[in-house]
Amino acid sequence: MNKNLLITIVLVVLVLISAVQAVQLNSVKNALAQSDLSLGKANSVKSSDKSSAASIQNLPQMVGGC
């Protein structure tokens, strides 16, 4: 098999895979936009989790060893 033909086939397969992933990502993004879920919001912590959120916010001060 010709080396150039093999490289072309591999590149076409990779482009097709990336196109499928782009479509899937777009559908997930649209589903999240239509739902109550949010991404990367620090204010979306439940009231029962506030103590753990407070300890997470204090992590930079807690780092340093014993």
Side-chain angles (χ1 to χ4, degrees), residues 16-54:
L16 288 175
I17 290 172
S18 65
V20 168
Q21 288 180 340
V23 169
Q24 289 176 340
L25 181 63
N26 194 20
S27 67
V28 168
K29 187 176 92 172
N30 289 337
L32 282 176
Q34 294 173 356
S35 69
D36 292 338
L37 296 176
S38 61
L39 294 173
K41 300 271 182 173
N43 295 334
S44 64
V45 177
K46 295 180 182 177
S47 61
S48 63
D49 293 340
K50 286 191 180 189
S51 62
S52 65

